[in-house]
Amino acid sequence: GAGVSQSPSNKVTEKGKDVELRCDPISGHTALYWYRQSLGQGLEFLIYFQGNSAPDKSGLPSDRFSAERTGGSVSTLTIQRTQQEDSAVYLCASSLRAGITDTQYFGPGTRLTVL
Amino acid sequence: AQSVAQPEDQVNVAEGNPLTVKCTYSVSGNPYLFWYVQYPNRGLQFLLKYITGDNLVKGSYGFEAEFNKSQTSFHLKKPSALVSDSALYFCAVRDRDGNTGFQKLVFGTGTRLLVSP
């Protein structure tokens, strides 16, 4: 079946602009995760959704970052007033449930470059 | 908090030789461990996981990993490397928040595997 998809695959923006990154999880997966992969920081957790609610937002780097999920499916990660340090690959993952044995399946990522 | 360490930034191996990519973990309670692979300009692909049971876990593409509780290790192995195995490999551990029950993956820093022809 179809895997996790993300759009756009690449995004170049100017400092100070807002960007929206989209994630389509695997159909039927209730849990959705956002991670960020950047040089020097490795892979870091940003936020997690169970259904449409986000029980844990502790990984969001600043209040410029927000995310939502509607209909228990598609999620959007929004970065306001982008800064150069936001440049990274943003990865989305989904799992059938949020149980400890549930495997997270990742999308191809969105490479964000802030000039 | 749970953590994993990948002590090698890069591993070089000749095609046809066995490969090992090292991972050690630090957890309280039972460890739930994962290996993922990332090919250039691609997302992470799941290889295998250890939850409980046999210490030798078999996964995708001929990879396997050995869980060793006494050495707190979960090394990734393959008997015969292929050039196409060249990629970035991540070890991860499931970290569970005691209050919310929420679980996320905590990743190692990654090991680049280069398989030469």
mmCIF file of all heavy atoms in Angstrom, chain B residues 5-49:
data_model
loop_
_atom_site.group_PDB
_atom_site.id
_atom_site.type_symbol
_atom_site.label_atom_id
_atom_site.label_comp_id
_atom_site.label_asym_id
_atom_site.label_seq_id
_atom_site.Cartn_x
_atom_site.Cartn_y
_atom_site.Cartn_z
ATOM 1 N N ALA B 5 23.631 5.106 21.791
ATOM 2 C CA ALA B 5 24.881 5.679 21.309
ATOM 3 C C ALA B 5 25.393 4.848 20.139
ATOM 4 O O ALA B 5 25.355 3.615 20.183
ATOM 5 C CB ALA B 5 25.918 5.706 22.422
ATOM 6 N N GLN B 6 25.828 5.539 19.120
ATOM 7 C CA GLN B 6 26.465 4.892 17.978
ATOM 8 C C GLN B 6 27.899 5.416 17.948
ATOM 9 O O GLN B 6 28.133 6.550 17.547
ATOM 10 C CB GLN B 6 25.715 5.211 16.688
ATOM 11 C CG GLN B 6 24.318 4.611 16.671
ATOM 12 C CD GLN B 6 23.574 4.903 15.380
ATOM 13 O OE1 GLN B 6 22.571 5.628 15.376
ATOM 14 N NE2 GLN B 6 24.047 4.344 14.289
ATOM 15 N N PRO B 7 28.841 4.605 18.382
ATOM 16 C CA PRO B 7 30.195 5.113 18.606
ATOM 17 C C PRO B 7 30.986 5.392 17.339
ATOM 18 O O PRO B 7 31.999 6.090 17.395
ATOM 19 C CB PRO B 7 30.842 3.982 19.413
ATOM 20 C CG PRO B 7 30.087 2.752 19.026
ATOM 21 C CD PRO B 7 28.678 3.204 18.795
ATOM 22 N N GLU B 8 30.534 4.858 16.219
ATOM 23 C CA GLU B 8 31.278 5.032 14.963
ATOM 24 C C GLU B 8 30.529 5.977 14.034
ATOM 25 O O GLU B 8 29.349 5.756 13.742
ATOM 26 C CB GLU B 8 31.467 3.684 14.265
ATOM 27 C CG GLU B 8 32.173 2.644 15.121
ATOM 28 C CD GLU B 8 31.837 1.231 14.686
ATOM 29 O OE1 GLU B 8 30.641 0.951 14.427
ATOM 30 O OE2 GLU B 8 32.767 0.408 14.612
ATOM 31 N N ASP B 9 31.226 7.027 13.584
ATOM 32 C CA ASP B 9 30.605 7.910 12.592
ATOM 33 C C ASP B 9 30.512 7.217 11.236
ATOM 34 O O ASP B 9 29.589 7.455 10.471
ATOM 35 C CB ASP B 9 31.410 9.196 12.452
ATOM 36 C CG ASP B 9 31.301 10.078 13.671
ATOM 37 O OD1 ASP B 9 30.289 9.971 14.394
ATOM 38 O OD2 ASP B 9 32.236 10.871 13.917
ATOM 39 N N GLN B 10 31.515 6.380 10.954
ATOM 40 C CA GLN B 10 31.569 5.728 9.650
ATOM 41 C C GLN B 10 32.158 4.335 9.791
ATOM 42 O O GLN B 10 33.053 4.108 10.615
ATOM 43 C CB GLN B 10 32.405 6.559 8.672
ATOM 44 C CG GLN B 10 32.477 5.994 7.269
ATOM 45 C CD GLN B 10 33.001 7.005 6.264
ATOM 46 O OE1 GLN B 10 32.510 8.120 6.173
ATOM 47 N NE2 GLN B 10 33.993 6.593 5.481
ATOM 48 N N VAL B 11 31.645 3.428 8.994
ATOM 49 C CA VAL B 11 32.163 2.067 8.916
ATOM 50 C C VAL B 11 32.446 1.771 7.453
ATOM 51 O O VAL B 11 31.583 2.001 6.599
ATOM 52 C CB VAL B 11 31.149 1.051 9.484
ATOM 53 C CG1 VAL B 11 31.591 -0.369 9.174
ATOM 54 C CG2 VAL B 11 30.976 1.238 10.980
ATOM 55 N N ASN B 12 33.632 1.285 7.188
ATOM 56 C CA ASN B 12 34.018 0.906 5.828
ATOM 57 C C ASN B 12 34.179 -0.603 5.757
ATOM 58 O O ASN B 12 34.813 -1.210 6.623
ATOM 59 C CB ASN B 12 35.335 1.574 5.435
ATOM 60 C CG ASN B 12 35.219 3.081 5.424
ATOM 61 O OD1 ASN B 12 34.354 3.642 4.771
ATOM 62 N ND2 ASN B 12 36.096 3.752 6.149
ATOM 63 N N VAL B 13 33.620 -1.198 4.730
ATOM 64 C CA VAL B 13 33.727 -2.641 4.559
ATOM 65 C C VAL B 13 33.744 -2.963 3.068
ATOM 66 O O VAL B 13 33.162 -2.233 2.255
ATOM 67 C CB VAL B 13 32.559 -3.354 5.282
ATOM 68 C CG1 VAL B 13 31.231 -2.982 4.656
ATOM 69 C CG2 VAL B 13 32.754 -4.850 5.289
ATOM 70 N N ALA B 14 34.442 -4.010 2.718
ATOM 71 C CA ALA B 14 34.487 -4.435 1.322
ATOM 72 C C ALA B 14 33.282 -5.313 1.010
ATOM 73 O O ALA B 14 32.805 -6.069 1.870
ATOM 74 C CB ALA B 14 35.778 -5.200 1.046
ATOM 75 N N GLU B 15 32.816 -5.196 -0.211
ATOM 76 C CA GLU B 15 31.675 -6.009 -0.640
ATOM 77 C C GLU B 15 31.972 -7.485 -0.428
ATOM 78 O O GLU B 15 33.067 -7.959 -0.733
ATOM 79 C CB GLU B 15 31.352 -5.733 -2.108
ATOM 80 C CG GLU B 15 30.071 -6.413 -2.589
ATOM 81 C CD GLU B 15 29.676 -5.973 -3.995
ATOM 82 O OE1 GLU B 15 30.587 -5.756 -4.814
ATOM 83 O OE2 GLU B 15 28.465 -5.838 -4.258
ATOM 84 N N GLY B 16 30.984 -8.195 0.109
ATOM 85 C CA GLY B 16 31.142 -9.616 0.357
ATOM 86 C C GLY B 16 31.602 -9.947 1.765
ATOM 87 O O GLY B 16 31.447 -11.087 2.221
ATOM 88 N N ASN B 17 32.155 -8.948 2.442
ATOM 89 C CA ASN B 17 32.590 -9.159 3.825
ATOM 90 C C ASN B 17 31.433 -8.927 4.792
ATOM 91 O O ASN B 17 30.490 -8.192 4.470
ATOM 92 C CB ASN B 17 33.739 -8.222 4.169
ATOM 93 C CG ASN B 17 35.050 -8.679 3.561
ATOM 94 O OD1 ASN B 17 35.126 -9.736 2.933
ATOM 95 N ND2 ASN B 17 36.100 -7.879 3.741
ATOM 96 N N PRO B 18 31.515 -9.514 5.977
ATOM 97 C CA PRO B 18 30.474 -9.240 6.974
ATOM 98 C C PRO B 18 30.592 -7.811 7.498
ATOM 99 O O PRO B 18 31.680 -7.243 7.526
ATOM 100 C CB PRO B 18 30.768 -10.260 8.076
ATOM 101 C CG PRO B 18 32.206 -10.616 7.903
ATOM 102 C CD PRO B 18 32.500 -10.495 6.444
ATOM 103 N N LEU B 19 29.459 -7.249 7.874
ATOM 104 C CA LEU B 19 29.461 -5.896 8.423
ATOM 105 C C LEU B 19 28.784 -5.873 9.790
ATOM 106 O O LEU B 19 27.890 -6.672 10.077
ATOM 107 C CB LEU B 19 28.776 -4.921 7.474
ATOM 108 C CG LEU B 19 27.270 -5.008 7.276
ATOM 109 C CD1 LEU B 19 26.509 -4.205 8.329
ATOM 110 C CD2 LEU B 19 26.883 -4.523 5.884
ATOM 111 N N THR B 20 29.265 -4.955 10.613
ATOM 112 C CA THR B 20 28.658 -4.701 11.913
ATOM 113 C C THR B 20 28.586 -3.205 12.131
ATOM 114 O O THR B 20 29.581 -2.507 11.954
ATOM 115 C CB THR B 20 29.474 -5.340 13.054
ATOM 116 O OG1 THR B 20 29.524 -6.753 12.875
ATOM 117 C CG2 THR B 20 28.837 -5.033 14.406
ATOM 118 N N VAL B 21 27.417 -2.733 12.515
ATOM 119 C CA VAL B 21 27.233 -1.336 12.899
ATOM 120 C C VAL B 21 26.802 -1.351 14.362
ATOM 121 O O VAL B 21 25.801 -1.971 14.724
ATOM 122 C CB VAL B 21 26.177 -0.639 12.036
ATOM 123 C CG1 VAL B 21 26.059 0.833 12.424
ATOM 124 C CG2 VAL B 21 26.522 -0.759 10.556
ATOM 125 N N LYS B 22 27.564 -0.658 15.189
ATOM 126 C CA LYS B 22 27.397 -0.789 16.631
ATOM 127 C C LYS B 22 26.376 0.191 17.215
ATOM 128 O O LYS B 22 26.250 1.336 16.747
ATOM 129 C CB LYS B 22 28.749 -0.574 17.327
ATOM 130 C CG LYS B 22 29.772 -1.636 16.985
ATOM 131 C CD LYS B 22 31.085 -1.376 17.692
ATOM 132 C CE LYS B 22 32.114 -2.433 17.344
ATOM 133 N NZ LYS B 22 33.426 -2.166 17.984
ATOM 134 N N CYS B 23 25.706 -0.294 18.254
ATOM 135 C CA CYS B 23 24.751 0.539 18.994
ATOM 136 C C CYS B 23 24.723 0.054 20.435
ATOM 137 O O CYS B 23 24.619 -1.152 20.674
ATOM 138 C CB CYS B 23 23.361 0.446 18.382
ATOM 139 S SG CYS B 23 22.052 1.283 19.322
ATOM 140 N N THR B 24 24.840 0.971 21.372
ATOM 141 C CA THR B 24 24.651 0.633 22.776
ATOM 142 C C THR B 24 23.513 1.473 23.322
ATOM 143 O O THR B 24 23.234 2.558 22.823
ATOM 144 C CB THR B 24 25.926 0.879 23.602
ATOM 145 O OG1 THR B 24 26.317 2.241 23.482
ATOM 146 C CG2 THR B 24 27.062 -0.021 23.129
ATOM 147 N N TYR B 25 22.858 0.972 24.348
ATOM 148 C CA TYR B 25 21.683 1.666 24.851
ATOM 149 C C TYR B 25 21.785 1.898 26.351
ATOM 150 O O TYR B 25 22.531 1.211 27.060
ATOM 151 C CB TYR B 25 20.412 0.869 24.516
ATOM 152 C CG TYR B 25 20.321 -0.489 25.179
ATOM 153 C CD1 TYR B 25 19.779 -0.635 26.456
ATOM 154 C CD2 TYR B 25 20.781 -1.628 24.526
ATOM 155 C CE1 TYR B 25 19.699 -1.871 27.063
ATOM 156 C CE2 TYR B 25 20.704 -2.875 25.117
ATOM 157 C CZ TYR B 25 20.175 -2.989 26.389
ATOM 158 O OH TYR B 25 20.099 -4.227 26.996
ATOM 159 N N SER B 26 21.026 2.867 26.792
ATOM 160 C CA SER B 26 20.895 3.166 28.212
ATOM 161 C C SER B 26 19.415 3.396 28.484
ATOM 162 O O SER B 26 18.840 4.377 27.999
ATOM 163 C CB SER B 26 21.714 4.407 28.585
ATOM 164 O OG SER B 26 21.483 4.763 29.938
ATOM 165 N N VAL B 27 18.805 2.466 29.210
ATOM 166 C CA VAL B 27 17.367 2.568 29.460
ATOM 167 C C VAL B 27 17.065 2.174 30.894
ATOM 168 O O VAL B 27 17.828 1.457 31.539
ATOM 169 C CB VAL B 27 16.547 1.665 28.512
ATOM 170 C CG1 VAL B 27 16.832 1.980 27.053
ATOM 171 C CG2 VAL B 27 16.806 0.197 28.792
ATOM 172 N N SER B 28 15.945 2.656 31.363
ATOM 173 C CA SER B 28 15.394 2.152 32.611
ATOM 174 C C SER B 28 14.190 1.309 32.223
ATOM 175 O O SER B 28 13.336 1.734 31.464
ATOM 176 C CB SER B 28 14.972 3.308 33.511
ATOM 177 O OG SER B 28 14.084 4.168 32.839
ATOM 178 N N GLY B 29 14.153 0.104 32.710
ATOM 179 C CA GLY B 29 13.081 -0.793 32.308
ATOM 180 C C GLY B 29 13.471 -1.588 31.074
ATOM 181 O O GLY B 29 14.644 -1.706 30.722
ATOM 182 N N ASN B 30 12.476 -2.123 30.414
ATOM 183 C CA ASN B 30 12.729 -2.957 29.233
ATOM 184 C C ASN B 30 13.060 -2.089 28.024
ATOM 185 O O ASN B 30 12.383 -1.105 27.760
ATOM 186 C CB ASN B 30 11.504 -3.815 28.929
ATOM 187 C CG ASN B 30 11.237 -4.819 30.025
ATOM 188 O OD1 ASN B 30 12.158 -5.391 30.583
ATOM 189 N ND2 ASN B 30 9.970 -5.027 30.344
ATOM 190 N N PRO B 31 14.086 -2.479 27.287
ATOM 191 C CA PRO B 31 14.429 -1.700 26.092
ATOM 192 C C PRO B 31 13.615 -2.136 24.880
ATOM 193 O O PRO B 31 13.377 -3.329 24.680
ATOM 194 C CB PRO B 31 15.909 -2.036 25.892
ATOM 195 C CG PRO B 31 16.045 -3.422 26.433
ATOM 196 C CD PRO B 31 15.039 -3.567 27.540
ATOM 197 N N TYR B 32 13.177 -1.184 24.116
ATOM 198 C CA TYR B 32 12.515 -1.437 22.834
ATOM 199 C C TYR B 32 13.361 -0.723 21.780
ATOM 200 O O TYR B 32 13.376 0.494 21.717
ATOM 201 C CB TYR B 32 11.077 -0.925 22.856
ATOM 202 C CG TYR B 32 10.254 -1.604 23.925
ATOM 203 C CD1 TYR B 32 10.030 -0.985 25.150
ATOM 204 C CD2 TYR B 32 9.738 -2.872 23.721
ATOM 205 C CE1 TYR B 32 9.300 -1.607 26.137
ATOM 206 C CE2 TYR B 32 9.006 -3.508 24.712
ATOM 207 C CZ TYR B 32 8.793 -2.872 25.923
ATOM 208 O OH TYR B 32 8.070 -3.494 26.908
ATOM 209 N N LEU B 33 14.049 -1.498 20.976
ATOM 210 C CA LEU B 33 15.106 -0.983 20.129
ATOM 211 C C LEU B 33 14.789 -1.176 18.657
ATOM 212 O O LEU B 33 14.184 -2.178 18.269
ATOM 213 C CB LEU B 33 16.425 -1.691 20.477
ATOM 214 C CG LEU B 33 16.889 -1.484 21.921
ATOM 215 C CD1 LEU B 33 17.849 -2.567 22.337
ATOM 216 C CD2 LEU B 33 17.533 -0.106 22.069
ATOM 217 N N PHE B 34 15.243 -0.230 17.856
ATOM 218 C CA PHE B 34 14.932 -0.217 16.432
ATOM 219 C C PHE B 34 16.184 0.138 15.636
ATOM 220 O O PHE B 34 17.067 0.845 16.117
ATOM 221 C CB PHE B 34 13.856 0.842 16.124
ATOM 222 C CG PHE B 34 12.548 0.634 16.834
ATOM 223 C CD1 PHE B 34 12.413 0.941 18.186
ATOM 224 C CD2 PHE B 34 11.448 0.151 16.150
ATOM 225 C CE1 PHE B 34 11.206 0.750 18.848
ATOM 226 C CE2 PHE B 34 10.228 -0.032 16.803
ATOM 227 C CZ PHE B 34 10.111 0.265 18.154
ATOM 228 N N TRP B 35 16.219 -0.345 14.400
ATOM 229 C CA TRP B 35 17.202 0.106 13.423
ATOM 230 C C TRP B 35 16.469 0.620 12.195
ATOM 231 O O TRP B 35 15.527 -0.016 11.696
ATOM 232 C CB TRP B 35 18.145 -1.023 12.996
ATOM 233 C CG TRP B 35 19.318 -1.234 13.898
ATOM 234 C CD1 TRP B 35 19.494 -2.199 14.842
ATOM 235 C CD2 TRP B 35 20.523 -0.447 13.920
ATOM 236 N NE1 TRP B 35 20.704 -2.064 15.456
ATOM 237 C CE2 TRP B 35 21.358 -0.991 14.911
ATOM 238 C CE3 TRP B 35 20.975 0.671 13.199
ATOM 239 C CZ2 TRP B 35 22.624 -0.472 15.201
ATOM 240 C CZ3 TRP B 35 22.221 1.186 13.484
ATOM 241 C CH2 TRP B 35 23.029 0.619 14.481
ATOM 242 N N TYR B 36 16.951 1.777 11.728
ATOM 243 C CA TYR B 36 16.437 2.371 10.502
ATOM 244 C C TYR B 36 17.617 2.649 9.570
ATOM 245 O O TYR B 36 18.738 2.886 10.025
ATOM 246 C CB TYR B 36 15.724 3.702 10.777
ATOM 247 C CG TYR B 36 14.354 3.572 11.400
ATOM 248 C CD1 TYR B 36 14.202 3.401 12.771
ATOM 249 C CD2 TYR B 36 13.203 3.637 10.617
ATOM 250 C CE1 TYR B 36 12.947 3.294 13.347
ATOM 251 C CE2 TYR B 36 11.936 3.537 11.182
ATOM 252 C CZ TYR B 36 11.825 3.366 12.546
ATOM 253 O OH TYR B 36 10.569 3.263 13.107
ATOM 254 N N VAL B 37 17.334 2.688 8.273
ATOM 255 C CA VAL B 37 18.345 3.032 7.278
ATOM 256 C C VAL B 37 17.844 4.219 6.462
ATOM 257 O O VAL B 37 16.637 4.342 6.198
ATOM 258 C CB VAL B 37 18.680 1.832 6.359
ATOM 259 C CG1 VAL B 37 17.439 1.346 5.599
ATOM 260 C CG2 VAL B 37 19.783 2.190 5.372
ATOM 261 N N GLN B 38 18.777 5.091 6.107
ATOM 262 C CA GLN B 38 18.428 6.258 5.296
ATOM 263 C C GLN B 38 19.346 6.309 4.079
ATOM 264 O O GLN B 38 20.555 6.489 4.213
ATOM 265 C CB GLN B 38 18.551 7.545 6.103
ATOM 266 C CG GLN B 38 18.058 8.776 5.367
ATOM 267 C CD GLN B 38 18.102 10.018 6.237
ATOM 268 O OE1 GLN B 38 18.990 10.185 7.063
ATOM 269 N NE2 GLN B 38 17.124 10.904 6.055
ATOM 270 N N TYR B 39 18.755 6.152 2.904
ATOM 271 C CA TYR B 39 19.499 6.293 1.661
ATOM 272 C C TYR B 39 19.518 7.760 1.269
ATOM 273 O O TYR B 39 18.654 8.536 1.709
ATOM 274 C CB TYR B 39 18.877 5.418 0.577
ATOM 275 C CG TYR B 39 18.939 3.947 0.907
ATOM 276 C CD1 TYR B 39 17.828 3.279 1.406
ATOM 277 C CD2 TYR B 39 20.125 3.236 0.760
ATOM 278 C CE1 TYR B 39 17.894 1.937 1.743
ATOM 279 C CE2 TYR B 39 20.199 1.897 1.094
ATOM 280 C CZ TYR B 39 19.076 1.253 1.589
ATOM 281 O OH TYR B 39 19.149 -0.062 1.932
ATOM 282 N N PRO B 40 20.461 8.177 0.443
ATOM 283 C CA PRO B 40 20.585 9.599 0.089
ATOM 284 C C PRO B 40 19.275 10.197 -0.392
ATOM 285 O O PRO B 40 18.589 9.609 -1.229
ATOM 286 C CB PRO B 40 21.650 9.583 -1.018
ATOM 287 C CG PRO B 40 22.480 8.385 -0.702
ATOM 288 C CD PRO B 40 21.513 7.365 -0.165
ATOM 289 N N ASN B 41 18.935 11.336 0.168
ATOM 290 C CA ASN B 41 17.736 12.087 -0.209
ATOM 291 C C ASN B 41 16.456 11.279 -0.026
ATOM 292 O O ASN B 41 15.484 11.497 -0.750
ATOM 293 C CB ASN B 41 17.847 12.582 -1.659
ATOM 294 C CG ASN B 41 19.038 13.488 -1.853
ATOM 295 O OD1 ASN B 41 19.294 14.375 -1.041
ATOM 296 N ND2 ASN B 41 19.797 13.255 -2.905
ATOM 297 N N ARG B 42 16.475 10.370 0.907
ATOM 298 C CA ARG B 42 15.283 9.572 1.186
ATOM 299 C C ARG B 42 14.965 9.658 2.674
ATOM 300 O O ARG B 42 15.776 10.045 3.493
ATOM 301 C CB ARG B 42 15.541 8.106 0.806
ATOM 302 C CG ARG B 42 15.947 7.877 -0.634
ATOM 303 C CD ARG B 42 14.756 7.846 -1.556
ATOM 304 N NE ARG B 42 13.891 6.733 -1.280
ATOM 305 C CZ ARG B 42 14.065 5.494 -1.738
ATOM 306 N NH1 ARG B 42 15.111 5.221 -2.501
ATOM 307 N NH2 ARG B 42 13.207 4.544 -1.446
ATOM 308 N N GLY B 43 13.757 9.257 3.023
ATOM 309 C CA GLY B 43 13.395 9.184 4.429
ATOM 310 C C GLY B 43 13.983 7.951 5.081
ATOM 311 O O GLY B 43 14.754 7.217 4.472
ATOM 312 N N LEU B 44 13.625 7.743 6.314
ATOM 313 C CA LEU B 44 14.112 6.579 7.048
ATOM 314 C C LEU B 44 13.271 5.350 6.714
ATOM 315 O O LEU B 44 12.046 5.419 6.691
ATOM 316 C CB LEU B 44 14.057 6.830 8.553
ATOM 317 C CG LEU B 44 15.228 7.552 9.197
ATOM 318 C CD1 LEU B 44 15.285 8.990 8.733
ATOM 319 C CD2 LEU B 44 15.142 7.472 10.699
ATOM 320 N N GLN B 45 13.949 4.257 6.504
ATOM 321 C CA GLN B 45 13.249 2.994 6.258
ATOM 322 C C GLN B 45 13.481 2.057 7.436
ATOM 323 O O GLN B 45 14.616 1.874 7.871
ATOM 324 C CB GLN B 45 13.755 2.339 4.977
ATOM 325 C CG GLN B 45 13.435 3.118 3.720
ATOM 326 C CD GLN B 45 13.917 2.413 2.475
ATOM 327 O OE1 GLN B 45 13.983 1.186 2.430
ATOM 328 N NE2 GLN B 45 14.246 3.171 1.453
ATOM 329 N N PHE B 46 12.428 1.467 7.921
ATOM 330 C CA PHE B 46 12.495 0.548 9.036
ATOM 331 C C PHE B 46 13.193 -0.745 8.625
ATOM 332 O O PHE B 46 12.885 -1.326 7.576
ATOM 333 C CB PHE B 46 11.076 0.253 9.523
ATOM 334 C CG PHE B 46 10.956 -0.883 10.493
ATOM 335 C CD1 PHE B 46 11.404 -0.737 11.797
ATOM 336 C CD2 PHE B 46 10.413 -2.090 10.098
ATOM 337 C CE1 PHE B 46 11.298 -1.791 12.687
ATOM 338 C CE2 PHE B 46 10.301 -3.140 10.982
ATOM 339 C CZ PHE B 46 10.733 -2.993 12.283
ATOM 340 N N LEU B 47 14.143 -1.195 9.442
ATOM 341 C CA LEU B 47 14.854 -2.448 9.178
ATOM 342 C C LEU B 47 14.383 -3.567 10.097
ATOM 343 O O LEU B 47 14.067 -4.662 9.638
ATOM 344 C CB LEU B 47 16.361 -2.263 9.366
ATOM 345 C CG LEU B 47 17.135 -1.587 8.240
ATOM 346 C CD1 LEU B 47 18.609 -1.465 8.644
ATOM 347 C CD2 LEU B 47 17.008 -2.365 6.944
ATOM 348 N N LEU B 48 14.402 -3.293 11.392
ATOM 349 C CA LEU B 48 14.033 -4.335 12.350
ATOM 350 C C LEU B 48 13.850 -3.718 13.735
ATOM 351 O O LEU B 48 14.227 -2.565 13.955
ATOM 352 C CB LEU B 48 15.103 -5.429 12.399
ATOM 353 C CG LEU B 48 16.557 -5.005 12.584
ATOM 354 C CD1 LEU B 48 16.888 -4.723 14.031
ATOM 355 C CD2 LEU B 48 17.504 -6.090 12.052
ATOM 356 N N LYS B 49 13.285 -4.515 14.629
ATOM 357 C CA LYS B 49 13.079 -4.053 15.997
ATOM 358 C C LYS B 49 13.200 -5.207 16.972
ATOM 359 O O LYS B 49 12.943 -6.369 16.614
ATOM 360 C CB LYS B 49 11.720 -3.368 16.148
ATOM 361 C CG LYS B 49 10.515 -4.300 15.970
ATOM 362 C CD LYS B 49 9.216 -3.522 16.076
ATOM 363 C CE LYS B 49 8.000 -4.418 15.847
ATOM 364 N NZ LYS B 49 6.723 -3.637 15.867
#
